[in-house]
Amino acid sequence: IHFCQTIKMKFSAIVIAAAAMASGVNAFSVNSRAASIAVRNTAMKMSAATDVDTKAALAQAANEARGLAMDSIAAAASGHMGLPLGAAEIGATLYGSAMQYNAAEPEWINRDRFILSAGHGSMFIYSWLNIAGYELPMDEVKNFRQHNSMTPGHPEFPNSEHSTPGIESTTGPLGQGVANAVGFAASEKMAEARYNTEDHKIFDHHIYALAGDGCFQEGVSAEAAAFAAHEKLDNLIVFYDANEVTLDKMAEYTQSEDILKRYEAYGWEVYDIDGHDLDAVGEAVEAAKASNNGKPKFIKCNTIIGKGMEETEGTNAAHGEAGVPYVDNAKKNIGLPVEEKWYVSDETRDFFKGVQDKNSATYAAWEETYAAWAEANPDLATELTNAVEDNVPSAEEMIKALPATEAGA
């Protein structure tokens, strides 16, 4: 259930219960139409207020994520500032309401996956992982781009050098993350077909990717996109951060295609929205998730690169760390305390605590489903456990198990 919807349901239940206690059971009879209308109107007003409160919380979180990116890049004197500032509302929507995840269980097999194909904008994902409650301490956010930190210059899948929960794929080479996302989507579809039963559904997650112009200029993303449509991967949702800027020049100098028509031609369902409008982003994501029509989803988010930093926003100067001298002014302009670095308000922490509680409840319900599925399907459960835990024979064991033959060389 959508976070906003959960709150609406709670408020509506409280309003109705209060009316019933005050008026008795006859309050809901045919002869009490006025009272019923009053109750409905009150519930609608409180639901609308909840929508406003949630939207305000997401907007505040988006600006604070911008602040984290600015402070970390300024401290490192290196990094890409444009995407974290320009795509902040996308991050707020995904981590604040749309995605199915449990920060306390980052390897949950039915979590939604998010892949930052535009890996150069890595402070985007580090900011949101910290805000969302993953085990990515603020000290590591401050340690951006430093050797052996949890926040390297490009996101890296956990390995001997970096172990950052919530990073699903190492990204950097443009377009690669789009192809990775297609692979994840195919994997989910295969798991769904192999392990779900009529009585129990243990796989039903979505794959999200955020990519920029450079990603879609690369052949690897084009090949993967054609494959995704052919294989009907409607669990895949790709965001196009369409800011009209590339590294050296405005995008108009290097491209003139209609990318929406290209993806439609592949067989994708496409959306064209204002990437800074929280309502538009949220509605597009919900529509994409609900559309099980065999088509992958492509959401073109028209954004301003480096939004909030007036000296560089909307230009290729926002593509790197050229905005570092203007960080204090930008933070002031978006309502953040200039004197406090790496600022996240108590209100944002509280809001995301509520998100975590909702996500934990979803995870607990899934665990119950999984337990029932495993009891009913012990062989499948063993197979899945062995696959997840990589319990496979060694190469030597597999070679020994090969039958002997009399065939000549």
Side-chain angles (χ1 to χ4, degrees):
I1 297 175
H2 192 287
F3 186 52
C4 297
Q5 293 173 328
T6 304
I7 298 175
K8 288 179 188 175
M9 290 167 65
K10 289 179 180 176
F11 271 123
S12 298
I14 291 170
V15 172
I16 292 171
M21 286 187 289
S23 306
V25 291
N26 287 334
F28 295 93
S29 69
V30 175
N31 294 328
S32 300
R33 184 170 179 272
S36 298
I37 292 172
V39 169
R40 287 198 300 271
N41 288 344
T42 304
M44 289 173 64
K45 288 177 181 178
M46 296 190 76
S47 294
T50 303
D51 277 344
V52 171
D53 290 345
T54 300
K55 184 176 178 180
L58 293 176
Q60 181 173 345
N63 278 335
E64 290 173 7
R66 288 184 170 101
L68 294 183
M70 286 190 280
D71 285 336
S72 290
I73 293 168
S78 180
H80 176 86
M81 204 174 287
L83 185 146
L85 274 62
E89 284 77 15
I90 299 171
T93 300
L94 288 177
Y95 287 94
S97 65
M99 282 209 306
Q100 175 175 280
Y101 68 96
N102 183 0
E105 296 288 345
E107 296 184 4
W108 174 25
I109 59 174
N110 197 39
R111 68 191 182 276
D112 286 348
R113 272 68 166 176
F114 173 77
I115 297 171
L116 181 63
S117 184
H120 51 276
S122 56
M123 268 310 302
F124 171 90
I125 193 167
Y126 301 144
S127 297
W128 287 112
L129 291 177
N130 175 271
I131 290 172
Y134 285 81
E135 287 295 323
L136 181 61
M138 188 61 80
D139 283 345
E140 289 293 338
V141 176
K142 296 177 181 180
N143 209 24
F144 176 59
R145 292 184 75 98
Q146 305 308 303
H147 185 57
N148 285 334
S149 76
M150 295 173 69
T151 49
H154 288 73
E156 296 187 18
F157 187 77
N159 56 61
S160 59
E161 293 293 321
H162 308 281
S163 183
T164 310
I167 301 298
E168 304 288 357
S169 175
T170 300
T171 55
L174 295 175
Q176 172 201 305
V178 175
N180 290 156
V182 171
F184 273 103
S187 175
E188 192 280 335
K189 287 290 188 181
M190 292 175 68
E192 185 179 307
R194 174 68 179 168
Y195 297 109
N196 285 357
T197 66
E198 289 186 5
D199 296 325
H200 304 100
K201 182 184 291 185
I202 61 170
F203 287 105
D204 63 352
H205 57 271
H206 289 84
I207 313 300
Y208 299 90
L210 175 59
D213 288 287
C215 293
F216 299 114
Q217 291 172 350
E218 296 292 339
V220 65
S221 64
E223 294 175 31
F227 173 86
H230 183 72
E231 296 299 327
K232 304 186 186 310
L233 302 181
D234 55 12
N235 56 338
L236 174 62
I237 301 173
V238 173
F239 295 93
Y240 168 28
D241 180 25
N243 54 40
E244 301 181 352
V245 175
T246 57
L247 179 60
D248 296 318
K249 275 279 193 178
M250 299 303 288
E252 64 184 354
Y253 284 87
T254 56
Q255 63 187 42
S256 55
E257 69 172 342
D258 187 329
I259 195 167
L260 290 178
K261 288 183 179 178
R262 174 155 69 93
Y263 270 73
E264 272 192 310
Y266 289 142
W268 288 54
E269 184 171 294
V270 303
Y271 302 76
D272 191 1
I273 65 170
D274 179 348
H276 299 303
D277 184 331
L278 285 165
D279 288 333
V281 177
E283 289 167 8
V285 173
E286 291 306 313
K289 288 166 62 177
S291 180
N292 301 314
N293 59 358
K295 293 185 176 184
K297 311 304 185 290
F298 186 90
I299 304 177
K300 181 184 179 185
C301 299
N302 297 285
T303 62
I304 300 171
I305 190 172
K307 183 174 173 60
M309 183 172 285
E310 58 187 15
E311 293 86 355
T312 61
E313 68 178 16
T315 73
N316 65 302
H319 218 286
E321 61 274 358
V324 167
Y326 314 115
V327 164
D328 286 351
N329 188 50
K331 289 173 65 177
K332 179 181 178 182
N333 288 343
I334 62 175
L336 300 180
V338 175
E339 67 283 354
E340 186 173 347
K341 305 297 183 184
W342 294 283
Y343 172 78
V344 179
S345 66
D346 291 340
E347 291 82 1
T348 292
R349 293 296 186 196
D350 289 344
F351 176 81
F352 274 88
K353 174 61 167 60
V355 174
Q356 292 164 31
D357 291 344
K358 180 266 295 184
N359 290 347
S360 295
T362 300
Y363 176 72
W366 177 88
E367 281 193 306
E368 291 182 6
T369 300
Y370 182 87
W373 170 83
E375 184 177 357
N377 305 277
D379 292 341
L380 281 178
T382 298
E383 178 185 298
L384 179 56
T385 298
N386 287 337
V388 171
E389 296 179 357
D390 201 24
N391 297 328
V392 297
S394 66
E396 291 78 10
E397 291 171 324
M398 287 189 283
I399 290 172
K400 287 181 180 179
L402 292 174
T405 66
E406 300 298 328

